[in-house]
Amino acid sequence: MSELGLMGDDRPTTPAGGRRAERRRRRGPGCLIALVILAVLGGAGYWGVTTGIEKVKDQFSSADDYSGPGEGEVVYEVKTGDTATAIGRGLKAAGVVASVDAFIAAANANPQSANIQAGAYSLREQMKASDAVAVLVDPSNIVKTTVTIPEGLQVREIVALLAKNTDFSKAEFQSALKDPGLGLPAYADGDPEGYLFPATYDFGPDAQPLDMLKQMVARWQQAATDNGLEAKAAELGYTPGEIMTIASLIEAEGRGSYKNQISRVIYNRLENPGNGITNGLLQIDASVNYALGKSGSTALTTAEIQSVSDSPYNTYTEPGLPPTPIEAPGDESIQAALNPEAGDWLFYVTVDLKTGETKFTDSYQEFLEFKDEYQNYCATESDRC
């Protein structure tokens, strides 16, 4: 082998070397062709992908949608946790919107759509998707029946108010009151008196009498929990049911800022039955009125008191608490029952019904003086007494 051959002379030295050199010479133009082909294919792929995306976008933005305001009525319920997709599917199934895509596009275009509240809404069939969204983003469009139950109503009065403001009869509510699923606490012994909490309620379009009453009992349970009813009752040495009865008496008798003082009078009479003055008798007019089938704390005649002398609600003849609450107490009265003000009072008289001024004493003689003051007030304000 020559020296030139060892140094890699570019001239062929063997037939095999010649073939390798030939392949190297052919590789250059072959690679160039391949690159050109890949570039063409790549461009075509990009064009295909982008065109496909644009077609999808076009399909989404031009999704089926109704043009008009729609017709008829469809009540649709948005449930807690529903996504825009879930709402869109529900509305499409109900015939409100033409497509889920149209609804989602309309929702995305409305910044308020993230705040759609759960509830039932009155919509139309074949609505434009943006119009449907506009209805849903306004909470004032939630379909509901609003009923306000004031403090101090008896069950019979609450039933009458519910029947007046809904499409159900008194009989239907009275039947629901007997349902074991009402949710009353065990110490209520199945009697709802005092446990239908006074508040403002929003009832949905599908709510039945039992649903409404359960909502009211649940609201009472919330108040009981918030006020620590069971624990504080135990601290005072009473059952939760007894505290609710005391709260109902305070609700019936209390005015203005005097509830905690009235609470103390009740406890003083209950806990000192041998005081030689009241002898454990609460002598609360409102409870006797309950026995008479009346409400409120209007003054009683001797004949009225004697007519229900055997009733356990007659606190002039029966010592201790009545067997159940006599009406529905609100938060303030429950709190007053759990937090009686310190004092040794045994009597109270509201001497001015216009202002609610109430006077307290532990002296029977002073109590009689307060009664005279009340009678003088009534002589000049007969329309209030």
Side-chain angles (χ1 to χ4, degrees):
M1 184 177 290
S2 68
E3 185 177 348
L4 290 175
L6 289 172
M7 293 180 66
D9 186 6
D10 60 352
R11 290 177 294 181
T13 55
T14 63
R19 285 193 297 272
R20 283 196 296 270
E22 184 67 18
R23 281 198 297 271
R24 284 195 297 268
R25 285 192 295 271
R26 291 177 181 174
R27 191 175 297 154
C31 289
L32 179 60
I33 293 170
L35 288 172
V36 171
I37 293 172
L38 287 173
V40 171
L41 291 175
Y46 172 78
W47 179 85
V49 170
T50 54
T51 301
I53 292 174
E54 291 302 319
K55 285 184 177 180
V56 171
K57 287 182 177 178
D58 289 342
Q59 182 179 4
F60 186 81
S61 61
S62 60
D64 289 343
D65 195 4
Y66 296 122
S67 59
E71 59 185 12
E73 182 184 21
V74 176
V75 176
Y76 180 78
E77 182 180 5
V78 175
K79 297 180 180 178
T80 301
D82 275 359
T83 63
T85 300
I87 297 172
R89 287 173 180 164
L91 292 176
K92 183 177 185 301
V96 175
V97 298
S99 68
V100 178
D101 286 346
F103 178 81
I104 293 175
N108 287 338
N110 191 323
Q112 294 180 301
S113 63
N115 300 318
I116 293 175
Q117 296 183 16
Y121 295 81
S122 178
L123 299 160
R124 295 175 177 272
E125 294 179 345
Q126 300 185 2
M127 292 184 73
K128 187 174 179 62
S130 59
D131 291 343
V133 172
V135 171
L136 297 178
V137 299
D138 186 352
S140 68
N141 289 325
I142 295 177
V143 179
K144 59 191 176 185
T145 299
T146 300
V147 181
T148 296
I149 307 297
E151 289 88 349
L153 294 190
Q154 298 172 6
V155 165
R156 62 181 179 82
E157 295 171 307
I158 293 172
V159 164
L161 194 57
L162 290 171
K164 179 181 178 181
N165 288 278
T166 68
D167 295 328
F168 301 100
S169 67
K170 291 181 182 179
E172 288 174 297
F173 283 106
Q174 289 164 347
S175 177
L177 285 169
K178 301 174 184 177
D179 194 300
L182 189 58
L184 294 171
Y187 48 79
D189 292 327
D191 190 336
E193 194 72 80
Y195 297 96
L196 303 179
F197 196 79
T200 296
Y201 295 92
D202 291 329
F203 301 122
D206 297 326
Q208 299 296 303
L210 180 59
D211 301 319
M212 299 178 190
L213 295 170
K214 284 175 66 176
Q215 188 174 334
M216 299 175 72
V217 175
R219 179 61 185 84
W220 166 82
Q221 184 61 66
Q222 178 188 330
T225 300
D226 292 345
N227 289 301
L229 176 63
E230 295 190 6
K232 290 184 178 179
E235 290 176 9
L236 291 167
Y238 292 81
T239 67
E242 289 172 332
I243 294 296
M244 286 301 299
T245 298
I246 293 171
S248 74
L249 297 173
I250 295 170
E251 187 66 59
E253 295 283 307
R255 293 178 178 85
S257 59
Y258 299 107
K259 289 187 175 184
N260 294 74
Q261 289 173 275
I262 291 173
S263 177
R264 174 50 64 192
V265 171
I266 292 172
Y267 282 110
N268 285 347
R269 289 193 173 210
L270 290 172
E271 295 172 2
N272 297 282
N275 57 31
I277 303 175
T278 59
N279 300 314
L281 294 171
L282 294 180
Q283 298 177 315
I284 292 178
D285 292 348
S287 186
V288 181
N289 276 319
Y290 186 79
L292 291 166
K294 300 191 298 181
S295 59
S297 186
T298 56
L300 298 165
T301 65
T302 301
E304 286 175 321
I305 294 173
Q306 291 176 346
S307 70
V308 288
S309 59
D310 294 333
S311 170
Y313 292 93
N314 191 331
T315 53
Y316 281 87
T317 59
E318 300 294 323
L321 287 168
T324 70
I326 62 170
E327 59 186 47
D331 261 322
E332 286 187 0
S333 294
I334 294 174
Q335 290 164 9
L338 293 170
N339 300 280
E341 189 167 322
D344 54 5
W345 312 293
L346 291 172
F347 305 94
Y348 60 88
V349 177
T350 300
V351 297
D352 189 326
L353 299 182
K354 184 176 182 179
T355 64
E357 181 185 1
T358 303
K359 295 185 176 182
F360 296 79
T361 182
D362 61 346
S363 164
Y364 182 69
Q365 184 58 44
E366 193 170 24
F367 163 67
L368 293 177
E369 293 173 6
F370 293 162
K371 286 188 70 174
D372 287 341
E373 188 175 346
Y374 169 73
Q375 293 298 332
N376 290 333
Y377 168 85
C378 287
T380 58
E381 300 281 349
S382 58
D383 59 323
R384 295 182 181 274
C385 296

